[in-house]
Amino acid sequence: MEPWTGAPSSPDKETADSSPVALNSYTEWDPLREVVVGSLAGGVFPGWQESMTHTLPEAAWRICREEGGQPFPAAHLKAAEGELDTLAGILESEGVTVVRPDTVTHQRPFRTPHWTSDGGLYAGMPRDLLMVVGDTVIEAPMSWRCRYHEGDAFRTLLKSWFRRGARWMPAPRPQLLDELYRTPGGAASPDGDRWAVTEFEPVFDAADFLRFGEDVIVQRSHVTNEFGIDWVRRALGPEFTVSVVETNDPHAMHIDATFAPLAPGKLLVNPERYIPHPLFEGWEILPAPAPALPPDWPMYFCSPWVSMNVLSLDPETVVVERQEQPLIDALTTWGFRCVPVDFRHVYSFGGSFHCVTLDTVRDGGPGKYLAS
Ligand code: DAV
């Protein structure tokens, strides 16, 4: 037997050791190398829970109440799937490696000892579930019961990232008992809290957070509580500062149609929701033009402001919906190259380019960008 020298024992091991860690992403804008693009395949209307009335457009309440667990309209879903595939192709042609989730069945009821759900939802919005901070991926404890198993479609990716050196950090599994929800018309809360979720246990959606190097910002929302924010703060540790920012959004669920940091010092904001914050001192602020979406376009989950839910490919390049011409004009004037992609059918299912992606590898490290 050869004496142990500490040298790599096989070519395989050598490859593993010399390849970079699978996850490296500290900002929303550094040059993008690898990204997950979600999949809406097999998507179903969410099993209804009353707390959804805080965030879903009222026009969608009836269909979600009556068709929870039933497939989305087939033609619209197919068109949206086509848009996602086109986005994946365009990102590849921009030099970005694209990976996709597994195909899983969402149309299957499930239960815990305490509650049942008519089905799942989709694997369309990895941003809602997963957050990459540096070499770590956090799995969010989401408060919509229908999303309890949403991580299943991402297991192959999560395991692969872990095997290639990433840190894999699922948040504590939530129970999602009735005590978590403050239903409209329910008992008034003694603290006068206006949010749909109480402080029963930590919950958050990853899409309520945005990364600015060593700073991470977060909004309180109808799916993210203080307990959840504290969990993220302690999980990330002292190298990161997690700051809560106020927004003017009565239906708050996800911060990425409110702020879009596009480059160091350049912040696109929703003019209806933006409240100036000292953290952005010295940043140029561009109020996004009004969305171009026709008012009768079906929107099941969110507002037309997903127009500003753009994806940065690097500090000069942004993926924007092709028909959002006022936004394209404003960004071009601001010095950006816009990559136009048709995405209105995806909008209907609750998000745009930032929501449907998870940037796993960007160049760069944890710089300091925000004022303290
Ligand atoms: O209606 O502003 C957009 C983001 C959804 N993931 C809204 C929410």
Side-chain angles (χ1 to χ4, degrees):
M1 196 171 184
E2 298 278 298
W4 171 247
T5 62
S9 55
S10 72
D12 257 20
K13 175 121 190 311
E14 200 163 34
T15 313
D17 283 351
S18 57
S19 67
V21 170
L23 302 178
N24 183 82
S25 187
Y26 287 90
T27 70
E28 306 292 333
W29 60 77
D30 274 317
L32 181 63
R33 303 298 174 199
E34 191 168 320
V35 73
V36 183
V37 171
S39 165
L40 289 163
V44 298
F45 284 106
W48 180 257
Q49 60 187 71
E50 280 302 315
S51 68
M52 290 172 175
T53 55
H54 286 93
T55 58
L56 295 196
E58 207 164 335
W61 294 4
R62 190 200 53 79
I63 197 161
C64 291
R65 274 198 177 110
E66 291 172 8
E67 301 201 24
Q70 296 307 304
F72 291 131
H76 204 87
L77 183 66
K78 188 156 179 257
E81 273 290 280
E83 290 172 351
L84 285 166
D85 292 345
T86 302
L87 171 67
I90 288 171
L91 292 172
E92 292 273 9
S93 72
E94 292 282 335
V96 180
T97 301
V98 175
V99 294
R100 307 293 298 269
D102 296 333
T103 299
V104 302
T105 304
H106 304 288
Q107 196 183 356
R108 190 180 279 163
F110 58 88
R111 62 186 310 148
T112 75
H114 303 285
W115 47 265
T116 62
S117 179
D118 292 331
L121 183 60
Y122 48 41
M125 309 286 162
R127 187 75 61 182
D128 297 0
L129 173 71
L130 301 173
M131 169 159 52
V132 175
V133 180
D135 65 353
T136 300
V137 57
I138 289 176
E139 274 185 80
M142 296 198 288
S143 62
W144 284 16
R145 288 172 171 169
C146 64
R147 309 191 83 169
Y148 210 56
H149 295 294
E150 206 161 299
D152 287 8
F154 301 94
R155 290 295 281 197
T156 304
L157 290 172
L158 288 161
K159 288 186 278 188
S160 151
W161 297 331
F162 179 80
R163 288 198 179 104
R164 289 182 290 138
R167 294 197 294 161
W168 179 7
M169 230 192 274
R173 177 178 59 78
Q175 291 181 289
L176 308 186
L177 304 186
D178 290 345
E179 289 95 313
L180 176 63
Y181 306 102
R182 185 175 290 120
T183 49
S189 134
D191 56 6
D193 200 318
R194 69 186 195 272
W195 303 111
V197 286
T198 66
E199 296 294 332
F200 174 66
E201 62 184 342
V203 290
F204 59 89
D205 277 14
D208 273 322
F209 294 79
L210 284 173
R211 300 149 313 140
F212 296 72
E214 60 190 57
D215 283 290
V216 173
I217 69 164
V218 58
Q219 70 173 7
R220 207 38 241 283
S221 79
H222 294 292
V223 292
T224 295
N225 60 15
E226 292 292 342
F227 211 163
I229 294 169
D230 280 344
W231 184 85
V232 172
R233 188 176 280 128
R234 209 171 299 167
L236 290 180
E239 294 107 87
F240 295 90
T241 303
V242 177
S243 303
V244 180
V245 294
E246 283 293 318
T247 57
N248 179 22
D249 183 3
H251 305 290
M253 174 172 172
H254 305 163
I255 197 171
D256 53 354
T258 298
F259 296 104
L262 303 180
K266 286 191 168 185
L267 185 66
L268 179 70
V269 303
N270 183 319
E272 294 179 358
R273 301 179 186 168
Y274 174 62
I275 298 173
H277 194 287
L279 282 173
F280 301 119
E281 203 184 296
W283 280 56
E284 286 174 57
I285 308 288
L286 179 71
L293 195 72
D296 59 350
W297 190 261
M299 292 294 274
Y300 301 119
F301 300 118
C302 69
S303 78
W305 279 108
V306 285
S307 57
M308 55 165 291
N309 187 259
V310 296
L311 178 69
S312 273
L313 301 189
D314 61 50
E316 281 106 40
T317 313
V318 189
V319 180
V320 189
E321 213 287 331
R322 187 186 304 279
Q323 294 168 91
E324 301 290 349
Q325 197 58 51
L327 179 60
I328 291 175
D329 292 344
L331 291 175
T332 307
T333 305
W334 213 17
F336 290 93
R337 174 173 73 95
C338 292
V339 178
V341 179
D342 289 303
F343 227 51
R344 281 188 172 174
H345 294 86
V346 174
Y347 277 15
S348 300
F349 299 106
S352 189
F353 306 110
H354 193 260
C355 296
V356 303
T357 53
L358 178 74
D359 40 347
T360 55
V361 182
R362 290 184 184 270
D363 290 348
K368 178 73 184 160
Y369 301 102
L370 295 183
S372 353

PDB file of all heavy atoms in Angstrom, residues 152-173:
ATOM      1  N   ASP A 152     -39.536  20.088  -3.264  1.00  0.00           N
ATOM      2  CA  ASP A 152     -39.292  18.784  -3.896  1.00  0.00           C
ATOM      3  C   ASP A 152     -38.715  18.924  -5.305  1.00  0.00           C
ATOM      4  O   ASP A 152     -37.831  18.165  -5.701  1.00  0.00           O
ATOM      5  CB  ASP A 152     -40.597  17.966  -3.976  1.00  0.00           C
ATOM      6  CG  ASP A 152     -41.023  17.443  -2.612  1.00  0.00           C
ATOM      7  OD1 ASP A 152     -40.399  17.830  -1.596  1.00  0.00           O
ATOM      8  OD2 ASP A 152     -41.995  16.666  -2.563  1.00  0.00           O
ATOM      9  N   ALA A 153     -39.221  19.894  -6.066  1.00  0.00           N
ATOM     10  CA  ALA A 153     -38.772  20.060  -7.451  1.00  0.00           C
ATOM     11  C   ALA A 153     -37.312  20.525  -7.528  1.00  0.00           C
ATOM     12  O   ALA A 153     -36.691  20.451  -8.589  1.00  0.00           O
ATOM     13  CB  ALA A 153     -39.676  21.057  -8.175  1.00  0.00           C
ATOM     14  N   PHE A 154     -36.791  21.023  -6.396  1.00  0.00           N
ATOM     15  CA  PHE A 154     -35.431  21.573  -6.393  1.00  0.00           C
ATOM     16  C   PHE A 154     -34.440  20.662  -5.658  1.00  0.00           C
ATOM     17  O   PHE A 154     -33.278  21.025  -5.481  1.00  0.00           O
ATOM     18  CB  PHE A 154     -35.452  22.976  -5.762  1.00  0.00           C
ATOM     19  CG  PHE A 154     -36.347  23.924  -6.504  1.00  0.00           C
ATOM     20  CD1 PHE A 154     -37.661  24.114  -6.109  1.00  0.00           C
ATOM     21  CD2 PHE A 154     -35.891  24.600  -7.634  1.00  0.00           C
ATOM     22  CE1 PHE A 154     -38.517  24.961  -6.815  1.00  0.00           C
ATOM     23  CE2 PHE A 154     -36.734  25.447  -8.344  1.00  0.00           C
ATOM     24  CZ  PHE A 154     -38.046  25.634  -7.932  1.00  0.00           C
ATOM     25  N   ARG A 155     -34.897  19.477  -5.238  1.00  0.00           N
ATOM     26  CA  ARG A 155     -34.022  18.593  -4.445  1.00  0.00           C
ATOM     27  C   ARG A 155     -32.776  18.178  -5.224  1.00  0.00           C
ATOM     28  O   ARG A 155     -31.678  18.130  -4.667  1.00  0.00           O
ATOM     29  CB  ARG A 155     -34.776  17.336  -4.014  1.00  0.00           C
ATOM     30  CG  ARG A 155     -35.842  17.570  -2.989  1.00  0.00           C
ATOM     31  CD  ARG A 155     -35.317  18.041  -1.679  1.00  0.00           C
ATOM     32  NE  ARG A 155     -34.762  16.995  -0.849  1.00  0.00           N
ATOM     33  CZ  ARG A 155     -34.529  17.109   0.450  1.00  0.00           C
ATOM     34  NH1 ARG A 155     -34.819  18.247   1.072  1.00  0.00           N
ATOM     35  NH2 ARG A 155     -34.004  16.123   1.137  1.00  0.00           N
ATOM     36  N   THR A 156     -32.941  17.823  -6.490  1.00  0.00           N
ATOM     37  CA  THR A 156     -31.767  17.387  -7.270  1.00  0.00           C
ATOM     38  C   THR A 156     -30.733  18.502  -7.309  1.00  0.00           C
ATOM     39  O   THR A 156     -29.535  18.269  -7.110  1.00  0.00           O
ATOM     40  CB  THR A 156     -32.195  16.994  -8.701  1.00  0.00           C
ATOM     41  OG1 THR A 156     -33.203  15.985  -8.611  1.00  0.00           O
ATOM     42  CG2 THR A 156     -31.014  16.472  -9.510  1.00  0.00           C
ATOM     43  N   LEU A 157     -31.201  19.733  -7.535  1.00  0.00           N
ATOM     44  CA  LEU A 157     -30.275  20.870  -7.572  1.00  0.00           C
ATOM     45  C   LEU A 157     -29.636  21.092  -6.205  1.00  0.00           C
ATOM     46  O   LEU A 157     -28.423  21.270  -6.095  1.00  0.00           O
ATOM     47  CB  LEU A 157     -31.016  22.132  -8.028  1.00  0.00           C
ATOM     48  CG  LEU A 157     -31.456  22.147  -9.497  1.00  0.00           C
ATOM     49  CD1 LEU A 157     -32.343  23.355  -9.781  1.00  0.00           C
ATOM     50  CD2 LEU A 157     -30.237  22.157 -10.418  1.00  0.00           C
ATOM     51  N   LEU A 158     -30.454  21.082  -5.151  1.00  0.00           N
ATOM     52  CA  LEU A 158     -29.925  21.329  -3.800  1.00  0.00           C
ATOM     53  C   LEU A 158     -28.851  20.301  -3.439  1.00  0.00           C
ATOM     54  O   LEU A 158     -27.785  20.651  -2.914  1.00  0.00           O
ATOM     55  CB  LEU A 158     -31.066  21.280  -2.774  1.00  0.00           C
ATOM     56  CG  LEU A 158     -32.031  22.471  -2.793  1.00  0.00           C
ATOM     57  CD1 LEU A 158     -33.352  22.122  -2.100  1.00  0.00           C
ATOM     58  CD2 LEU A 158     -31.403  23.693  -2.124  1.00  0.00           C
ATOM     59  N   LYS A 159     -29.125  19.036  -3.749  1.00  0.00           N
ATOM     60  CA  LYS A 159     -28.155  17.986  -3.415  1.00  0.00           C
ATOM     61  C   LYS A 159     -26.875  18.173  -4.224  1.00  0.00           C
ATOM     62  O   LYS A 159     -25.769  17.990  -3.705  1.00  0.00           O
ATOM     63  CB  LYS A 159     -28.777  16.607  -3.667  1.00  0.00           C
ATOM     64  CG  LYS A 159     -29.849  16.267  -2.628  1.00  0.00           C
ATOM     65  CD  LYS A 159     -30.368  14.846  -2.779  1.00  0.00           C
ATOM     66  CE  LYS A 159     -31.420  14.741  -3.850  1.00  0.00           C
ATOM     67  NZ  LYS A 159     -32.054  13.399  -3.875  1.00  0.00           N
ATOM     68  N   SER A 160     -27.035  18.536  -5.481  1.00  0.00           N
ATOM     69  CA  SER A 160     -25.858  18.732  -6.325  1.00  0.00           C
ATOM     70  C   SER A 160     -25.016  19.921  -5.836  1.00  0.00           C
ATOM     71  O   SER A 160     -23.786  19.848  -5.773  1.00  0.00           O
ATOM     72  CB  SER A 160     -26.320  18.908  -7.775  1.00  0.00           C
ATOM     73  OG  SER A 160     -25.436  19.704  -8.493  1.00  0.00           O
ATOM     74  N   TRP A 161     -25.672  21.018  -5.453  1.00  0.00           N
ATOM     75  CA  TRP A 161     -24.914  22.176  -4.937  1.00  0.00           C
ATOM     76  C   TRP A 161     -24.172  21.791  -3.668  1.00  0.00           C
ATOM     77  O   TRP A 161     -23.021  22.157  -3.468  1.00  0.00           O
ATOM     78  CB  TRP A 161     -25.848  23.354  -4.647  1.00  0.00           C
ATOM     79  CG  TRP A 161     -26.544  23.892  -5.863  1.00  0.00           C
ATOM     80  CD1 TRP A 161     -26.090  23.881  -7.150  1.00  0.00           C
ATOM     81  CD2 TRP A 161     -27.835  24.519  -5.901  1.00  0.00           C
ATOM     82  NE1 TRP A 161     -27.022  24.449  -7.990  1.00  0.00           N
ATOM     83  CE2 TRP A 161     -28.096  24.848  -7.242  1.00  0.00           C
ATOM     84  CE3 TRP A 161     -28.795  24.822  -4.940  1.00  0.00           C
ATOM     85  CZ2 TRP A 161     -29.273  25.483  -7.647  1.00  0.00           C
ATOM     86  CZ3 TRP A 161     -29.971  25.453  -5.336  1.00  0.00           C
ATOM     87  CH2 TRP A 161     -30.203  25.780  -6.684  1.00  0.00           C
ATOM     88  N   PHE A 162     -24.851  21.041  -2.803  1.00  0.00           N
ATOM     89  CA  PHE A 162     -24.211  20.629  -1.550  1.00  0.00           C
ATOM     90  C   PHE A 162     -22.978  19.768  -1.834  1.00  0.00           C
ATOM     91  O   PHE A 162     -21.903  19.978  -1.266  1.00  0.00           O
ATOM     92  CB  PHE A 162     -25.196  19.865  -0.659  1.00  0.00           C
ATOM     93  CG  PHE A 162     -24.562  19.398   0.624  1.00  0.00           C
ATOM     94  CD1 PHE A 162     -24.387  20.269   1.687  1.00  0.00           C
ATOM     95  CD2 PHE A 162     -24.097  18.095   0.749  1.00  0.00           C
ATOM     96  CE1 PHE A 162     -23.772  19.851   2.859  1.00  0.00           C
ATOM     97  CE2 PHE A 162     -23.479  17.667   1.917  1.00  0.00           C
ATOM     98  CZ  PHE A 162     -23.315  18.549   2.970  1.00  0.00           C
ATOM     99  N   ARG A 163     -23.155  18.805  -2.752  1.00  0.00           N
ATOM    100  CA  ARG A 163     -22.010  17.922  -3.073  1.00  0.00           C
ATOM    101  C   ARG A 163     -20.843  18.717  -3.627  1.00  0.00           C
ATOM    102  O   ARG A 163     -19.700  18.310  -3.496  1.00  0.00           O
ATOM    103  CB  ARG A 163     -22.445  16.866  -4.093  1.00  0.00           C
ATOM    104  CG  ARG A 163     -23.345  15.822  -3.494  1.00  0.00           C
ATOM    105  CD  ARG A 163     -23.399  14.568  -4.365  1.00  0.00           C
ATOM    106  NE  ARG A 163     -24.245  13.577  -3.741  1.00  0.00           N
ATOM    107  CZ  ARG A 163     -25.485  13.300  -4.146  1.00  0.00           C
ATOM    108  NH1 ARG A 163     -26.012  13.927  -5.174  1.00  0.00           N
ATOM    109  NH2 ARG A 163     -26.202  12.393  -3.515  1.00  0.00           N
ATOM    110  N   ARG A 164     -21.152  19.847  -4.269  1.00  0.00           N
ATOM    111  CA  ARG A 164     -20.072  20.668  -4.841  1.00  0.00           C
ATOM    112  C   ARG A 164     -19.689  21.817  -3.903  1.00  0.00           C
ATOM    113  O   ARG A 164     -19.244  22.867  -4.347  1.00  0.00           O
ATOM    114  CB  ARG A 164     -20.507  21.171  -6.222  1.00  0.00           C
ATOM    115  CG  ARG A 164     -20.538  20.017  -7.248  1.00  0.00           C
ATOM    116  CD  ARG A 164     -20.920  20.495  -8.624  1.00  0.00           C
ATOM    117  NE  ARG A 164     -22.321  20.882  -8.688  1.00  0.00           N
ATOM    118  CZ  ARG A 164     -22.774  21.957  -9.318  1.00  0.00           C
ATOM    119  NH1 ARG A 164     -21.947  22.765  -9.939  1.00  0.00           N
ATOM    120  NH2 ARG A 164     -24.061  22.222  -9.326  1.00  0.00           N
ATOM    121  N   GLY A 165     -19.869  21.622  -2.611  1.00  0.00           N
ATOM    122  CA  GLY A 165     -19.260  22.522  -1.633  1.00  0.00           C
ATOM    123  C   GLY A 165     -20.162  23.586  -1.036  1.00  0.00           C
ATOM    124  O   GLY A 165     -19.740  24.313  -0.142  1.00  0.00           O
ATOM    125  N   ALA A 166     -21.397  23.715  -1.529  1.00  0.00           N
ATOM    126  CA  ALA A 166     -22.271  24.763  -1.000  1.00  0.00           C
ATOM    127  C   ALA A 166     -22.772  24.406   0.399  1.00  0.00           C
ATOM    128  O   ALA A 166     -22.790  23.235   0.788  1.00  0.00           O
ATOM    129  CB  ALA A 166     -23.463  24.954  -1.932  1.00  0.00           C
ATOM    130  N   ARG A 167     -23.178  25.407   1.134  1.00  0.00           N
ATOM    131  CA  ARG A 167     -23.839  25.177   2.424  1.00  0.00           C
ATOM    132  C   ARG A 167     -25.351  25.187   2.181  1.00  0.00           C
ATOM    133  O   ARG A 167     -25.869  26.089   1.514  1.00  0.00           O
ATOM    134  CB  ARG A 167     -23.428  26.261   3.417  1.00  0.00           C
ATOM    135  CG  ARG A 167     -21.934  26.153   3.745  1.00  0.00           C
ATOM    136  CD  ARG A 167     -21.566  26.906   4.981  1.00  0.00           C
ATOM    137  NE  ARG A 167     -21.744  28.336   4.792  1.00  0.00           N
ATOM    138  CZ  ARG A 167     -21.850  29.202   5.780  1.00  0.00           C
ATOM    139  NH1 ARG A 167     -21.822  28.795   7.019  1.00  0.00           N
ATOM    140  NH2 ARG A 167     -21.997  30.489   5.521  1.00  0.00           N
ATOM    141  N   TRP A 168     -26.024  24.193   2.704  1.00  0.00           N
ATOM    142  CA  TRP A 168     -27.467  23.976   2.451  1.00  0.00           C
ATOM    143  C   TRP A 168     -28.184  24.158   3.778  1.00  0.00           C
ATOM    144  O   TRP A 168     -28.001  23.378   4.701  1.00  0.00           O
ATOM    145  CB  TRP A 168     -27.632  22.559   1.904  1.00  0.00           C
ATOM    146  CG  TRP A 168     -29.033  22.126   1.602  1.00  0.00           C
ATOM    147  CD1 TRP A 168     -30.172  22.869   1.624  1.00  0.00           C
ATOM    148  CD2 TRP A 168     -29.422  20.802   1.214  1.00  0.00           C
ATOM    149  NE1 TRP A 168     -31.255  22.103   1.270  1.00  0.00           N
ATOM    150  CE2 TRP A 168     -30.823  20.838   1.012  1.00  0.00           C
ATOM    151  CE3 TRP A 168     -28.748  19.603   1.019  1.00  0.00           C
ATOM    152  CZ2 TRP A 168     -31.548  19.703   0.628  1.00  0.00           C
ATOM    153  CZ3 TRP A 168     -29.457  18.478   0.636  1.00  0.00           C
ATOM    154  CH2 TRP A 168     -30.846  18.529   0.435  1.00  0.00           C
ATOM    155  N   MET A 169     -29.007  25.193   3.876  1.00  0.00           N
ATOM    156  CA  MET A 169     -29.587  25.569   5.157  1.00  0.00           C
ATOM    157  C   MET A 169     -31.110  25.700   5.067  1.00  0.00           C
ATOM    158  O   MET A 169     -31.626  26.758   4.711  1.00  0.00           O
ATOM    159  CB  MET A 169     -28.993  26.928   5.559  1.00  0.00           C
ATOM    160  CG  MET A 169     -28.459  26.938   6.973  1.00  0.00           C
ATOM    161  SD  MET A 169     -28.108  28.599   7.492  1.00  0.00           S
ATOM    162  CE  MET A 169     -26.463  28.785   6.855  1.00  0.00           C
ATOM    163  N   PRO A 170     -31.841  24.608   5.335  1.00  0.00           N
ATOM    164  CA  PRO A 170     -33.293  24.745   5.396  1.00  0.00           C
ATOM    165  C   PRO A 170     -33.683  25.438   6.704  1.00  0.00           C
ATOM    166  O   PRO A 170     -33.134  25.115   7.750  1.00  0.00           O
ATOM    167  CB  PRO A 170     -33.799  23.303   5.368  1.00  0.00           C
ATOM    168  CG  PRO A 170     -32.635  22.424   5.647  1.00  0.00           C
ATOM    169  CD  PRO A 170     -31.369  23.244   5.635  1.00  0.00           C
ATOM    170  N   ALA A 171     -34.601  26.364   6.636  1.00  0.00           N
ATOM    171  CA  ALA A 171     -35.108  27.008   7.850  1.00  0.00           C
ATOM    172  C   ALA A 171     -35.932  25.979   8.635  1.00  0.00           C
ATOM    173  O   ALA A 171     -36.354  24.965   8.072  1.00  0.00           O
ATOM    174  CB  ALA A 171     -35.976  28.208   7.479  1.00  0.00           C
ATOM    175  N   PRO A 172     -36.180  26.235   9.919  1.00  0.00           N
ATOM    176  CA  PRO A 172     -36.988  25.286  10.693  1.00  0.00           C
ATOM    177  C   PRO A 172     -38.327  25.012  10.001  1.00  0.00           C
ATOM    178  O   PRO A 172     -38.997  25.942   9.551  1.00  0.00           O
ATOM    179  CB  PRO A 172     -37.213  26.019  12.017  1.00  0.00           C
ATOM    180  CG  PRO A 172     -36.086  26.986  12.119  1.00  0.00           C
ATOM    181  CD  PRO A 172     -35.758  27.393  10.715  1.00  0.00           C
ATOM    182  N   ARG A 173     -38.674  23.721   9.923  1.00  0.00           N
ATOM    183  CA  ARG A 173     -39.930  23.354   9.247  1.00  0.00           C
ATOM    184  C   ARG A 173     -41.105  23.958  10.005  1.00  0.00           C
ATOM    185  O   ARG A 173     -41.271  23.706  11.198  1.00  0.00           O
ATOM    186  CB  ARG A 173     -40.067  21.826   9.228  1.00  0.00           C
ATOM    187  CG  ARG A 173     -41.355  21.326   8.611  1.00  0.00           C
ATOM    188  CD  ARG A 173     -41.414  19.810   8.583  1.00  0.00           C
ATOM    189  NE  ARG A 173     -41.306  19.209   9.905  1.00  0.00           N
ATOM    190  CZ  ARG A 173     -42.304  19.145  10.795  1.00  0.00           C
ATOM    191  NH1 ARG A 173     -43.482  19.632  10.502  1.00  0.00           N
ATOM    192  NH2 ARG A 173     -42.111  18.588  11.974  1.00  0.00           N
TER     193      ARG A 173
END
